[in-house]
Amino acid sequence: MTQALPESDQFKRQLSQTPASWATESARDLMALLSDHAHCELKAGANAMTMLKRNPNRPGFALRLAPLIKEECDHLHRVLREIEMRGGVLAQDAPNPWAEGLHAAARKLPPVRLPHGGFLDVLLISALIEMRSHERFERLAECAAMRDLESLYRNLCEAEARHGLLFQELARETFPAAAVEERFALLAEQEAVLMERLPPGPRIHSGVAGL
Ligand SMILES: [Fe+2]
C-alpha cells in the first residue's frame, strides 16, 4: 500500500473546483455516466500497465504499480456489475478531449531539461487524472440523485486519492523535487484551463453546464 505523503509535501489539489451541480447534471443519464466511468477505469489500468512495461527496472515501480493495476481492474469490474444490474451494456468509448488535451498541452510546454524529462510529464499527468477523478467521485458520492451508488463512489474516492499520491511519489523519487513542483504547477494550470473548456455531459471528465 502507498505510504501517504505528509500534508505539507502533498501537491495542491488541481486549481479548479467542480460544483455540486456538475454531479446532478451528469447523473441525468446514469448509464452513459457509468459506461464512461468503466472506460476510465480500463484506461487507468492500461496506462499503468504501459508504464510498467516501459519501465520495468525503475526502483520501486513494479511492486507499486502492480497493485494499482489490480485495483483499477477491480473498479472496472464493480462498475460493469452496476451497469449489468441496471440492464445496460458497456457502450463504445468516446475520445476524451481532456486527457488527450493534457498530453498535447504538455508537448507544447518547454521540454523538461532532464534525462527522460518526458517521463516526468507522464507521471504528473497520471497524478492529475487520478486527482481529478477523485474530486469527481466525491461530487458523485454527495449527489442526492446518486444515492444508490454512494458507497461505491465513497470507496473509489479513497483509492483515487492513493493513486494520485503514488504517481506524485514516483515523480519525486525519479526527478529532483524542484523540477517536479515546477512542472506540476504548469500542468495543473493547463488541466484547469482544459476542464473549463469541456462541454457538459454524462462523463466523469466533462465540463460544467452554465460556465
Ligand atoms: Fe485510479
Side-chain angles (χ1 to χ4, degrees):
M1 181 170 290
T2 304
Q3 179 128 31
L5 293 173
E7 188 84 24
S8 59
D9 286 349
Q10 291 176 22
F11 294 126
K12 284 186 193 137
R13 299 285 299 259
Q14 61 276 359
L15 301 181
S16 62
Q17 298 294 312
T18 301
S21 61
W22 167 83
T24 312
E25 193 64 32
S26 300
R28 285 181 202 278
D29 189 344
L30 182 60
M31 295 310 285
L33 182 68
L34 287 172
S35 242
D36 182 69
H37 180 172
H39 282 292
C40 287
E41 300 291 357
L42 183 57
K43 283 181 273 197
N47 174 61
M49 277 189 202
T50 302
M51 193 180 285
L52 180 50
K53 186 132 182 70
R54 289 182 181 163
N55 301 275
N57 302 322
R58 284 189 191 274
F61 268 59
L63 277 173
R64 283 186 287 170
L65 284 176
L68 181 145
I69 292 165
K70 197 173 159 194
E71 207 162 28
E72 303 291 14
C73 290
D74 176 58
H75 295 171
L76 168 64
H77 193 194
R78 288 170 72 178
V79 179
L80 288 174
R81 282 203 303 258
E82 297 292 343
I83 294 172
E84 193 188 28
M85 272 164 46
R86 288 165 176 79
V89 288
L90 181 63
Q92 282 286 342
D93 191 20
N96 182 334
W98 172 74
E100 287 161 17
L102 264 174
H103 287 280
R107 286 193 293 273
K108 285 184 197 155
L109 289 173
V112 178
R113 303 222 171 272
L114 290 168
H116 312 290
F119 187 50
L120 178 56
D121 284 340
V122 171
L123 287 169
L124 294 181
I125 289 171
S126 299
L128 279 163
I129 290 174
E130 298 285 353
M131 290 163 74
R132 181 60 83 179
S133 299
H134 172 208
E135 195 234 14
R136 292 291 165 104
F137 292 170
E138 272 181 344
R139 294 294 85 75
L140 291 172
E142 295 157 0
C143 176
M146 298 287 286
R147 196 142 291 155
D148 286 356
L149 292 159
E150 181 183 347
S151 67
L152 172 76
Y153 280 105
R154 291 234 177 266
N155 198 253
L156 265 50
C157 279
E158 180 273 322
E160 299 302 74
R162 274 189 290 106
H163 297 170
L165 285 173
L166 173 60
F167 288 117
Q168 291 181 26
E169 282 175 3
L170 294 175
R172 287 171 192 267
E173 288 167 16
T174 311
F175 295 95
V180 175
E181 304 261 348
E182 187 184 330
R183 197 67 174 180
F184 183 83
L186 287 173
L187 290 169
E189 202 174 299
Q190 298 294 318
E191 191 276 339
V193 170
L194 284 162
M195 187 49 79
E196 212 173 284
R197 292 179 185 158
L198 284 178
R203 304 193 71 176
I204 299 298
H205 305 118
S206 60
V208 178
L211 280 190

